[in-house]
């Protein structure tokens, strides 16, 4: 689960809504690993009883990642960790920009390595 905490007066590009309600739903994620291999998966973002917090399940190539993220304007900063399916426990950070269509475009870093993954989480699955 990735928890996204946000400022409630934020308006996301492309979402056509005030706040972060435009992030809620099931999304497709496509990325490239450090060796240039491509991967894809699903990200589900769910609202909680707090208007500034979201839960996210990230399923990529039979692995599940969980973490926390904060939204500041059109920037999303993530701290994440594997919880299932990885050969060994991994964790790291990521930074995304919310583009004009509401997609999250960015990079994730694997802690303790030089590994960097590029990723896009699409507004619609």
């Amino acid at each position: 689960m990735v928890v996204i905490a946000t400022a409630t007066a934020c308006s996301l590009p492309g979402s056509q809504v005030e706040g972060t309600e435009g992030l809620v739903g099931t999304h497709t994620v496509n990325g490239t690993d450090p060796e240039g291999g491509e991967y894809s998966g699903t990200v589900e973002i769910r609202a909680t009883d707090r208007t500034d917090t979201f839960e996210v399940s990230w399923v990529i190539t039979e692995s599940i990642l969980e973490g926390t993220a904060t939204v500041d304007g059109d920037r999303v900063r993530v701290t994440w960790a594997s919880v299932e399916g990885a050969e060994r426990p991994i964790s790291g950070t990521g930074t995304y920009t919310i583009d004009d269509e509401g997609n999250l475009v960015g990079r994730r870093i694997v802690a303790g390595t030089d590994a960097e993954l590029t990723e896009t989480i699409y507004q619609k699955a």
Side-chain angles (χ1 to χ4, degrees):
M1 150 185 7
V2 175
V3 179
I4 299 179
T6 65
T8 57
C10 172
S11 178
L12 298 179
S15 66
Q16 305 300 312
V17 295
E18 288 297 314
T20 54
E21 295 85 359
L23 293 177
V24 173
T26 301
H27 309 278
T28 298
V29 59
N30 291 328
T32 304
D33 67 26
E35 291 80 36
E38 295 180 355
Y39 62 88
S40 63
T42 303
V43 173
E44 183 181 357
I45 303 174
R46 296 174 304 280
T48 65
D49 57 354
R50 293 183 54 188
T51 59
D52 64 348
T53 303
F54 296 82
E55 295 178 348
V56 180
S57 299
W58 215 340
V59 181
I60 300 173
T61 317
E62 300 180 15
S63 296
I64 299 174
L65 307 175
E66 295 181 347
T68 59
T70 56
V71 177
D72 182 13
D74 66 348
R75 296 279 185 190
V76 179
R77 290 180 186 14
V78 179
T79 302
W80 59 272
S82 61
V83 295
E84 188 176 314
E87 292 178 14
R88 61 180 173 75
I90 57 173
S91 62
T93 60
T95 304
Y96 298 86
T97 300
I98 302 170
D99 70 13
D100 289 340
E101 296 165 1
N103 303 319
L104 281 69
V105 179
R107 302 180 184 283
R108 283 192 297 125
I109 306 295
V110 178
T113 72
D114 293 331
E116 181 175 287
L117 302 89
T118 59
E119 223 167 53
T120 301
I121 300 171
Y122 294 94
Q123 180 69 8
K124 300 288 182 191

